[in-house]
Amino acid sequence: MPVPLRPLLACLLATLPWPSLAGEVPDPLALAQLDGFALGVEAAGKFSGVVLVANGDTVLFEKAYGRRDENGDAPLQAGDRLNFASAGKMFTSVAVLQQVAAGKLGLDSPVGQVLKDYPNRAFADGVTVRQLLTHSAGAGDIEELFGATHSAERVRLRTLADMIALHGGRAPEFTPGTQQKYGNYGYIVLGRMVEVLSGQDFESYIRQHVLAPAGMTRTGFVDCSDPAPDLAAGYVEVDGKRVRNCATLPARGFAAGGEVGTARDLLRFVQALNAGKLLPPALLAEATRTQREFMGLGFFATGYGEGVPERDFRWGHGGSADGICTDVRHYPRTGETVVVLSNKDAPACYAVSNLLHAQWKGP
């Protein structure tokens, strides 16, 4: 029977020696403690996945834990592909910001400037690109894409246009710009705007203008049921039985996330952004600056506030769904990039990705 996660984590944290680090690059002791922590959470049955830590372009730590499929014996490998869940929203954000950089769109352009036939005029005229990127548009979610009871609807909702046809008639949940509420539907709208502006379908655009320039050769859009041996499988409980999470999730990635790939490829994505290969540096700086609460322009931009060390500020994105937990963090002050991909439910992967900076703070 699995050990409960919280008591185990508390015990592990209490026994760590918490070094006083003179530098700000994780040293061998800190990385060994990270390894031990991940092994402990794996032993509790709460984590399997890949953990990568880099400083700049140098990979300091990379290791896989657990099994590729909980019903099989094959161990996960560091180069295996896992589902990114909502961390894939960063690709949509980059695609939209590329349209901004090309002068085709402004951050404060309304949806209707591009989607001229968008059904609800209050949404089309009142919601801006910036609000969609920061989850402050009142766009809501699209429940029909998730859960075992919506399998028939998922079959019908194959394109971004299909999804907008379903919910394009509803007004914003609140006056755009007055609140922040995380959801998936706004990114479907953003993805459709990219399609209209570029003349390409969303998958083709992301492959050509985001993945290829970043050198992300192991990342893409893959059917959940694809039998490729390097694809990690996630599971969910439905009607008292453990089944593949294909039973509750979209069949493949789309504008709100769900692409599959490797930890190394996500590091390449961060490196490509920092090198100016995907966005102009000034626009990246604006996108990864906190715009509202925890959000930049499509990137989480958090770890700040009174009493919080400057080194804790980070940008990136997390993601979770049935049998998936993902965390991508880049710390500009220290140069670290931490990537944790898991084929287990949240929240264990977040505890793993947070450990190095928790060590700096001490108990």
Side-chain angles (χ1 to χ4, degrees):
M1 183 173 181
V3 179
L5 179 61
R6 288 187 178 180
L8 176 74
L9 298 188
C11 180
L12 286 169
L13 289 169
T15 57
L16 291 175
W18 300 108
S20 176
L21 300 181
E24 292 190 331
V25 175
D27 65 8
L29 175 59
L31 294 172
Q33 290 170 340
L34 172 64
D35 183 29
F37 183 78
L39 286 168
V41 186
E42 177 196 355
K46 299 295 184 180
F47 179 70
S48 62
V50 178
V51 180
L52 181 150
V53 180
N55 181 51
D57 292 337
T58 303
V59 174
L60 304 176
F61 182 89
E62 185 179 24
K63 185 174 177 180
Y65 303 82
R67 289 176 292 170
R68 187 179 290 142
D69 186 318
E70 66 181 50
N71 286 332
D73 296 324
L76 265 169
Q77 304 294 324
D80 283 346
R81 294 178 293 163
L82 289 90
N83 193 304
F84 295 162
S86 283
K89 286 184 172 71
M90 292 188 291
F91 306 151
T92 304
S93 302
V94 167
V96 169
L97 293 170
Q98 287 175 343
Q99 309 311 304
V100 173
K104 297 180 179 180
L105 192 65
L107 288 172
D108 295 309
S109 296
V111 168
Q113 178 179 312
V114 177
L115 304 184
K116 299 184 184 302
D117 58 352
Y118 193 89
N120 185 276
R121 296 318 304 173
F123 194 105
D125 299 335
V127 169
T128 69
V129 172
R130 187 189 305 273
Q131 291 162 351
L132 291 171
L133 287 169
T134 57
H135 298 279
S136 59
D141 220 315
I142 180 163
E143 306 293 345
E144 294 81 0
L145 293 178
F146 303 94
T149 60
H150 293 298
S151 58
E153 290 154 300
R154 282 196 294 275
V155 171
R156 295 195 300 269
L157 298 172
R158 289 297 188 181
T159 69
L160 300 180
D162 291 339
M163 298 171 197
I164 289 178
L166 179 65
H167 283 305
R170 68 186 182 192
E173 289 185 7
F174 48 79
T175 302
T178 62
Q179 301 178 41
Q180 186 179 52
K181 183 178 179 181
Y182 186 90
N184 290 305
Y185 181 70
Y187 276 69
I188 291 167
V189 176
L190 289 169
R192 180 60 182 152
M193 293 172 77
V194 170
E195 289 185 330
V196 171
L197 289 169
S198 68
Q200 293 181 270
D201 67 88
F202 182 77
E203 290 190 14
S204 296
Y205 184 92
I206 296 299
R207 282 194 295 265
Q208 182 177 346
H209 298 282
V210 179
L211 305 181
M216 300 172 69
T217 59
R218 303 285 313 289
T219 296
F221 300 84
V222 175
D223 286 342
C224 184
S225 58
D226 191 304
D230 67 331
L231 280 172
Y235 282 77
V236 63
E237 188 168 304
V238 176
D239 296 329
K241 297 179 180 179
R242 295 287 289 173
V243 299
R244 284 287 304 275
N245 56 6
C246 305
T248 62
L249 298 177
R252 59 195 286 124
F254 64 118
E259 297 89 344
V260 303
T262 65
R264 283 271 181 161
D265 266 7
L266 284 170
L267 173 61
R268 292 183 181 100
F269 177 65
V270 171
Q271 292 169 330
L273 284 168
N274 284 330
K277 294 180 179 180
L278 300 177
L279 294 172
L283 187 54
L284 174 65
E286 182 68 7
T288 56
R289 176 180 68 82
T290 305
Q291 303 279 329
R292 187 178 188 122
E293 297 185 32
F294 58 89
M295 286 299 303
L297 298 174
F299 295 84
F300 288 177
T302 188
Y304 64 94
E306 185 176 353
V308 179
E310 181 184 351
R311 67 188 176 208
D312 275 6
F313 177 80
R314 66 184 190 267
W315 58 260
H317 213 291
S320 66
D322 293 330
I324 305 166
C325 186
T326 298
D327 205 355
V328 183
R329 304 177 174 205
H330 179 68
Y331 294 86
R333 173 65 177 80
T334 64
E336 289 168 274
T337 300
V338 179
V339 178
V340 179
L341 303 178
S342 178
N343 60 342
K344 293 281 191 181
D345 291 347
C349 83
Y350 304 138
V352 174
S353 60
N354 191 53
L355 187 72
L356 291 173
H357 278 250
Q359 287 175 310
W360 273 331
K361 292 185 183 73

